[in-house]
Amino acid sequence: YANAFGWMDPQVQNLTKEIFKKFREKKLSLYYIFADSVKTKGKDLLKNFLGDYRFLPKKYPMHAATDIFGDYIATFTNLPWVSVKNVTIYVLKDSRLAYSYRAWFGFMFSHCKK
């Protein structure tokens, strides 16, 4: 889930490129649910996006982002548009919680429009 493109910040672009490269090499898929505002504000950034994505309806704005990977859930707050400056990150490690987050994400993803 995301309302911003923090991973496009020049400070972390090399890391982002490396992560995306590893995803391609391992043939792993990325899935995102973006805030509706990303449709217009991030139109150019979405052209080169690696992965499949959907949008939440306008009536559900977001002010944070969440990544789910393995047994981990990372939640980002204070995430500016294309920056990682002053971001607060909470990381949880719990396999059952990560599984539940993925289930919730899957439900939302299947009900959101591209």
Side-chain angles (χ1 to χ4, degrees):
Y1 326 94
N3 71 326
F5 286 92
W7 41 263
M8 297 298 285
D9 184 321
Q11 291 181 320
V12 296
Q13 262 188 334
N14 288 336
L15 176 63
T16 300
K17 285 179 188 176
E18 188 61 32
I19 290 169
F20 283 2
K21 179 182 173 188
K22 289 188 187 282
F23 268 84
R24 279 190 215 96
E25 287 171 1
K26 294 182 180 192
K27 297 182 181 172
L28 297 172
S29 300
L30 291 169
Y31 299 92
Y32 278 84
I33 299 173
F34 290 114
D36 184 75
S37 60
V38 172
K39 274 191 229 177
T40 52
K41 195 173 182 182
K43 196 172 186 177
D44 291 336
L45 296 173
L46 286 170
K47 288 178 186 175
N48 299 315
F49 184 73
L50 174 66
D52 194 3
Y53 55 88
R54 302 286 188 270
F55 296 98
L56 282 173
K58 250 183 213 186
K59 67 180 179 177
Y60 300 108
M62 289 192 292
H63 304 288
T66 301
D67 290 340
I68 310 159
F69 50 98
D71 292 344
Y72 294 89
I73 301 124
T75 302
F76 306 77
T77 62
N78 300 323
L79 190 61
W81 178 243
V82 181
S83 175
V84 293
K85 192 175 186 174
N86 299 320
V87 171
T88 302
I89 304 171
Y90 300 93
V91 180
L92 300 168
K93 181 181 181 190
D94 184 301
S95 61
R96 288 178 280 170
L97 188 58
Y99 179 86
S100 295
Y101 267 67
R102 271 193 281 287
W104 298 330
F105 178 87
F107 174 80
M108 289 188 296
F109 192 84
S110 68
H111 287 82
C112 291
K113 295 183 180 180
K114 183 149 183 162

